[in-house]
Every structure is written in C-alpha cells, then in structure tokens.
C-alpha cells in the first residue's frame, strides 16, 4: 500500500493541482484590489488633512506636555509668569502703601518694604533670572514671605548645631527695615515669655532682639534687631474683604526649631470676624474678646506670631491661637492685619498703645469671690465689681465694691462688655457716665476719661 499520493510524483498537473493554482490566481487578484483600495483611501485622507490644516488665527504656539526636567519652553513660560506676577505684586504693594487708613496698613511700612527691596526682590517668580519654577500659586505665595518669617527663642550663648535642641517660643514677621535696624511683629504672649529674646532667621543665623513695644489687649508686640543680611520684608495686605473659601497659608515654627518654617494651607473658614473670649491675665478668667480671622490651616504651639498669607503672598493676619479641645480640628485664628497695622504703628512710634482709662480694677459679678457683700437687688445679677479705685474714678467718687451696670446708656454685664465699650466707643478725654449699685442703691457719676498708664 502506497503511502504517497500519486500527484506528488507526477510530471503532469493533476485536476486538484489545477484547481489550487486557479484559486491562488483568483486570491492574488483579490488581495491586489484590496491593497489598491487601501492605498487610494490613504491618499485621499492625506489630501483632505492637508487642505483642512491652517495656521492658528491668534498666532499662538500650542505648548507641548510639560517636561519635569525643566526644558527651555518651561523656563520661558516661568519667566513670562514672573513678569506678570511681579508687576501685579508691585502694583498691590504700591496700593497697600498708599491706602492709608482705609486698609489699616501703615503707609510707612509699605513704602519701606519697597525701598528696602524686601517685597520687590521676592515678588517675581524665579527671581531676577526667571529660571526657577513654581508649580503652584501657593508655592509662589509662600516664597514671597518665607524668609521674612523668623523663629523667636530665649537668648542663649549656645551655637545652633541641631535645631531640634532649641525650643522656639514663637514666630515673628520682619515687616520693616530702616537703615541698620529690622523690625519684627509677633504676639504679646510670645514677647512676654522671656526677659531676653533672640530671633533665628530662615538660614539659621541668630540675632539678639529687643522688645520696643507690647500690648496685651491686641496681643501684639514689636521687636527690633540688626538688619544685616536681611533681604526679604513681608508686605501687608488687606483683611477687610476676605471671603470664606479664600486660600489662607500659615507660616511659622511649631514645636521648636526642628520644624522651623513649616507651612500649612487651608481656607478662610468663616465669614467676617469671630469674637473669641480670652483671659488677658492668663488666670483663666475671661475678660476680653478678640476679633479674629477663622482658618482651617493647621496651627500649633510655636506658630503664634507667624504670618497668615493670601494667594498674593501678602500678610493678611498674624497667627495667634487655636481651639485645642479633644476632638476639635481645623479651628485656628489670626489677628486681622487691618486691626493689627494701627497698633503696630503706634508701638513703633511710642512703644505703647494709648487707651482711655477709668481708673479701676474690676472683675465680673459672675467671677467675684470676695467676702464683702455686694447688696445687689434681686433683679441685678450681672455687672462689674470694682476691686480698687484710682485716677479719674477715685476723683469722681467711685469706691471699691461698687457694681458697674451701665456706661453711658450701654448695659454692662461683665468685664468684656466694659472693656469693649471703653476701648471701641470712647477716647482719651471723653466724658462718661458710670452707673453703679452701692449698698443696694443706684448711683451715677460723671467725669472725663484719663489715659491708660
């Protein structure tokens, strides 16, 4: 039995071979037709594409996808942004300097920032050569203020070898350079934490600092130091028109120098200003209310006195406190720059803030723990108990244990009400009517306010 087919050895084509060759010829013809069809379609597509392609009307060149290695196109784009933002920052600085009392910004502060190159030197993206790259507006804003934020520490003869070993009691902002002197604003509770203070610049250099003025009520203080090597000066912005959801960036030195120049970002998290009760004496008795900006950027111990910055790189507030209850997060507060600027100016000029003065020390009725009976009518359950008297109040006839219930026509329920009315509605030398209860009887005394010593 043959294992091979007969046509394999045949010299004549068999019927099967003939049909196979015929089919092959037909298949080749079909594939040639398909190839020609595809080629024709391709040529038509190319012609149509060439006809539809036209130069852009605006003449702008489309930018390729970004190269993280920072090629020529990126540097040119960064330089263009630098010019635009530098122009905007200089215009804002000029407006801030000339806005006067409308913005609450010290005019001399704004102009000195420009004249000393602090604001303008850091205002452009990438600096003079335009080569550096900021990949977000937040990064650019931080760069404008970063070197103007300092750490405030207790004076020590030790060299800084490890920042983690030195505890920062707070932060501060370089806001003015005049000649050889640089001025730093911080919180009163930071400046009063030690008799002798030093500042630590962003590059780690330590400088002795001297307190030239401090005010417990506003929680602000101004320090001065040697200006050598200081090139960046913060520019004050405006806080009166802040909106909820607006970017807010906190820069400071939480938990010591090991975390120096920490930046946290968030938003303005409440409309308008919050009134937060505080204890001016630190004894836990609430006797004043601070008007503050509420933010959700993280604020920690050591951030006090640091900068709250907007997206333009301007200081809009001075970080001062947070709510630190268990389970509470994202409730930080800053002193609005519009309220801070006049106080800073007065501290620069006089070393103190002048305020009207009754001539009493007092506590709220709710906080009174003395042994002397107050003899108040049953319907009177609030007011301010006078503990000691001097100056204008003593001359007018007020006595210890009198209970103040009205100033002029304004009801007084506690010491917060008393200070609020006195410091926001009255001036030194203004007349005032003080209504008190003494031995169960109501009395009124009229006199002129003095000046707080």
């Amino acid at each position: 039995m043959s294992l091979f087919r007969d046509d394999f050895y045949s010299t004549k084509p068999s019927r099967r071979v003939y049909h196979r060759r015929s089919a092959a010829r037909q298949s080749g013809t079909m594939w040639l037709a398909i190839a020609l069809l595809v080629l024709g379609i391709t040529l038509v597509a190319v012609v149509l594409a060439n006809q539809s392609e036209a130069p852009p009307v605006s003449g702008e060149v489309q930018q390729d996808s970004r190269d993280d290695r920072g090629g020529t196109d990126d540097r040119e784009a960064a330089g263009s942004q630098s010019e635009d933002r530098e122009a905007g920052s200089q215009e804002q600085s000029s407006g801030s300097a000339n806005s006067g009392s409308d913005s609450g910004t010290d005019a001399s502060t704004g102009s000195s920032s420009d004249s000393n190159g602090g604001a303008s030197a850091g205002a452009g993206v990438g600096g003079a050569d335009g080569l550096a790259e900021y990949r977000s507006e937040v990064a650019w804003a931080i760069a404008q203020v970063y070197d103007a934020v300092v750490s405030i520490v207790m004076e020590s003869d030790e060299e800084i070898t490890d920042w983690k070993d030195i505890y920062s009691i707070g932060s501060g902002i370089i806001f003015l350079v005049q000649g050889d002197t640089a001025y730093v604003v911080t919180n009163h509770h930071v400046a009063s934490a030690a008799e002798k203070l030093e500042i630590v610049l962003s590059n780690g250099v330590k400088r002795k600092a001297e307190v030239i003025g401090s005010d417990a009520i506003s929680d602000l203080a101004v320090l001065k130091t040697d200006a050598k090597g200081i090139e960046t000066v913060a520019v004050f912005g405006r806080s009166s028109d802040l909106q909820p959801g607006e970017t807010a960036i906190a820069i400071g030195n939480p938990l010591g120098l090991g975390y120096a120049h920490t930046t946290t970002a968030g938003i303005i998290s409440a409309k308008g200003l919050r009134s937060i009760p505080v204890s001016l004496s630190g004894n836990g008795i609430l006797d004043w209310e601070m008007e503050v900006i509420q933010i959700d950027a993280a604020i920690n111990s050591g951030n006090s006195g640091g900068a709250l910055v907007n997206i333009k790189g301007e200081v809009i507030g001075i970080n001062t406190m947070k709510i630190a209850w268990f389970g509470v997060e994202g409730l930080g507060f800053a002193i609005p720059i519009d309220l801070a600027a006049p106080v800073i100016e007065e501290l620069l000029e006089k070393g103190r803030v002048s305020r009207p003065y009754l001539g009493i020390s007092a506590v709220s009725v709710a906080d009174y723990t003395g042994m002397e009976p107050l003899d108040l009518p049953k319907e009177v359950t609030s007011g301010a108990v006078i503990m000691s008297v001097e100056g204008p109040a003593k001359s007018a006839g007020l006595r210890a244990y009198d209970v103040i219930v009205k100033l002029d026509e304004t009801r007084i329920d506690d010491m917060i009400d008393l200070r609020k009315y006195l410091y926001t509605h009255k001036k030194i030398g203004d007349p005032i009517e003080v209504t008190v209860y003494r031995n169960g009887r109501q009395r009124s005394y009229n006199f002129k306010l003095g000046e707080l010593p």
Side-chain angles (χ1 to χ4, degrees):
M1 180 180 291
S2 173
L3 297 177
F4 301 101
R5 292 182 298 180
D6 57 356
D7 57 351
F8 183 79
Y9 297 101
S10 172
T11 58
K12 297 190 298 182
S14 67
R15 187 183 298 252
R16 293 178 59 188
V17 171
Y18 173 80
H19 288 302
R20 185 178 299 156
R21 288 177 179 175
S22 177
R25 283 196 299 271
Q26 292 176 359
S27 177
T29 302
M30 181 181 67
W31 283 111
L32 179 60
I34 293 173
L36 291 173
L37 179 61
V38 171
L39 179 61
I41 293 173
T42 303
L43 290 174
V44 171
V46 170
V47 171
L48 292 175
N50 289 334
Q51 289 178 349
S52 63
E53 187 173 338
V57 176
S58 64
E60 296 177 354
V61 179
Q62 293 183 352
Q63 186 177 11
D64 293 334
S65 59
R66 187 180 172 281
D67 186 352
D68 286 337
R69 293 172 297 179
T72 303
D73 292 339
D74 288 335
R75 292 196 295 268
E76 290 175 355
S80 175
Q81 288 181 347
S82 173
E83 294 173 1
D84 294 342
R85 284 178 172 163
E86 184 167 8
S89 178
Q90 289 174 350
E91 180 181 351
Q92 178 66 26
S93 299
S94 174
S96 178
N98 294 321
S99 61
S101 60
D102 291 340
S103 66
T105 303
D106 180 13
S108 62
T109 301
S111 61
S112 63
S113 298
D114 293 339
S115 62
N116 287 285
S120 58
V125 177
D129 58 8
L131 297 180
E133 183 179 82
Y134 294 95
R135 300 182 181 178
S136 72
E137 289 183 321
V138 171
W140 179 86
I142 291 169
Q144 312 316 302
V145 188
Y146 193 81
D147 289 335
V149 177
V150 300
S151 299
I152 298 178
V153 300
M154 297 182 186
E155 185 176 320
S156 171
D157 294 331
E158 297 179 4
E159 293 289 334
I160 296 181
T161 57
D162 185 352
W163 282 27
K164 295 180 181 180
D165 294 336
I166 299 181
Y167 176 68
S168 172
I169 59 177
S171 307
I173 310 163
I174 302 170
F175 69 94
L176 175 64
V177 172
Q178 288 182 336
D180 296 331
T181 304
Y183 296 90
V184 177
V185 61
T186 187
N187 289 143
H188 166 80
H189 73 263
V190 171
S192 61
E195 293 183 1
K196 295 183 178 181
L197 299 172
E198 289 182 320
I199 66 169
V200 183
L201 303 178
S202 61
N203 58 6
V205 174
K206 282 202 306 182
R207 297 276 173 81
K208 290 185 178 181
E210 177 185 347
V211 179
I212 64 171
S214 192
D215 180 59
I217 291 173
S218 64
D219 196 22
L220 292 170
V222 173
L223 287 61
K224 67 177 183 179
T225 189
D226 184 5
K228 182 179 179 181
I230 293 176
E231 298 180 352
T232 303
V233 177
V235 174
F236 289 171
R238 185 189 298 266
S239 58
S240 58
D241 57 356
L242 294 176
Q243 300 175 339
E246 184 175 339
T247 299
I249 307 160
I251 308 176
N253 308 285
L255 309 180
L257 295 184
Y259 296 94
H261 283 76
T262 291
T263 61
T264 56
I267 59 171
I268 304 297
S269 56
K271 185 176 182 180
L273 302 180
R274 293 289 195 201
S275 295
I276 303 297
V278 296
S279 174
L280 294 177
S281 61
N283 60 4
I285 297 177
L286 303 177
D287 50 10
W288 179 242
E289 279 186 342
M290 292 187 66
E291 301 293 322
V292 289
I293 302 167
Q294 180 180 312
I295 58 174
D296 72 345
I299 301 292
N300 294 288
S301 177
N303 272 114
S304 292
L308 184 69
V309 182
N310 64 12
I311 202 65
K312 298 178 182 178
E314 302 165 335
V315 175
I316 55 171
I318 299 170
N319 301 321
T320 187
M321 66 178 117
K322 65 177 289 186
I323 293 180
W325 293 337
F326 176 77
V328 175
E329 296 181 2
L331 285 176
F333 303 96
I335 303 167
I337 202 64
D338 288 1
L339 299 183
V343 175
I344 293 169
E345 184 176 0
E346 195 166 357
L347 291 175
L348 275 172
E349 293 176 357
K350 302 189 300 185
R352 57 187 296 272
V353 177
S354 298
R355 288 192 173 88
Y357 178 57
L358 278 173
I360 65 169
S361 65
V363 297
S364 301
V365 167
D367 298 319
Y368 176 70
T369 57
M371 300 299 294
E372 186 73 19
L374 300 179
D375 293 329
L376 292 173
K378 291 182 179 180
E379 66 273 14
V380 178
T381 58
S382 61
V385 183
I386 298 176
M387 304 304 295
S388 64
V389 187
E390 58 185 11
K394 185 175 183 179
S395 300
L398 290 169
R399 300 179 186 176
Y401 306 110
D402 286 350
V403 178
I404 299 174
V405 291
K406 280 201 305 184
L407 294 179
D408 294 331
E409 297 301 319
T410 300
R411 175 174 168 171
I412 303 299
D413 286 333
D414 51 31
M415 284 301 297
I416 293 177
D417 287 347
L418 188 147
R419 285 196 171 97
K420 278 286 184 182
Y421 181 80
L422 196 62
Y423 296 154
T424 59
H425 294 87
K426 309 297 284 187
K427 297 180 180 178
I428 297 168
D430 282 355
I432 191 168
E433 181 180 15
V434 181
T435 302
V436 302
Y437 275 96
R438 179 190 300 167
N439 298 326
R441 294 179 55 192
Q442 189 179 88
R443 305 167 183 260
S444 293
Y445 297 87
N446 293 275
F447 56 96
K448 289 186 177 182
L449 293 168
E451 181 178 356
L452 186 68

